Amino acid sequence: TARLVELFLEPSASAEHGLNAMRLMFHPRGFRPHIVNWEAMAAAQIQWLHREVLSGLADAGTRRLLEELLAYPGVPSHWRRLDLDVSTDPFLPIEFPRGEVELRYFSMLTSLGTPHDITLQELRIESFFPADAATEDAARRLAAG
């Protein structure tokens, strides 16, 4: 992740927003200008956050994050409302072109637990996987430095 941040962002942008993936995906100086399908990807993530807040599982930090993301410039105002027609698929494609490097990932959102274990029920994991062989090779080269 650190190498991906170095490739796409200026040091001031990552220092300003930390390595919070949601902030980096939404902020105009984060990954946002580099994501080909930003609007579709971001709409799905915002709706996922809306649902989490409405479920009662979200803490105050999650509610603040949702409000922060919605306040960024260029975020459509209609995203401020829950849209039950937006897909809640756990699979989300993301494309990052930068110069001669074109990375295609898919993200999976996973939750663990059962209604009997509130601690696990609150756990959410987002993982990014290479969507093609070229991205996997590029990711290995980035990881190697």
Side-chain angles (χ1 to χ4, degrees), residues 68-121:
E68 177 185 332
L69 299 179
L70 290 168
Y72 286 151
V75 172
S77 61
H78 68 274
W79 288 3
R80 296 195 68 76
R81 295 177 304 281
L82 174 63
D83 183 349
L84 296 175
D85 293 329
V86 172
S87 173
T88 57
D89 291 340
F91 174 88
L92 189 61
I94 301 174
E95 299 177 37
F96 298 92
R98 175 75 180 225
E100 294 185 19
V101 177
E102 197 165 320
L103 304 175
R104 292 180 184 88
Y105 288 93
F106 66 91
S107 172
M108 300 224 23
L109 300 172
T110 306
S111 61
L112 303 174
T114 64
H116 304 291
D117 189 334
I118 193 69
T119 304
L120 287 177
Q121 189 175 358

Side-chain angles (χ1 to χ4, degrees), residues 10-70:
E10 294 181 22
S12 63
S14 60
E16 179 181 343
H17 304 291
L19 289 179
N20 178 291
M22 295 291 275
R23 284 185 181 99
L24 288 173
M25 293 294 185
F26 276 78
H27 197 278
R29 289 185 42 229
F31 285 128
R32 180 176 166 179
H34 306 290
I35 300 174
V36 171
N37 59 331
W38 181 82
E39 192 162 322
M41 182 276 311
Q45 285 192 330
I46 280 292
Q47 293 304 315
W48 175 76
L49 274 175
H50 273 299
R51 284 176 172 85
E52 186 165 315
V53 166
L54 289 175
S55 75
L57 296 176
D59 60 9
T62 303
R63 289 188 289 278
R64 283 191 305 270
L65 177 63
L66 176 60
E67 289 304 314
E68 177 185 332
L69 299 179
L70 290 168

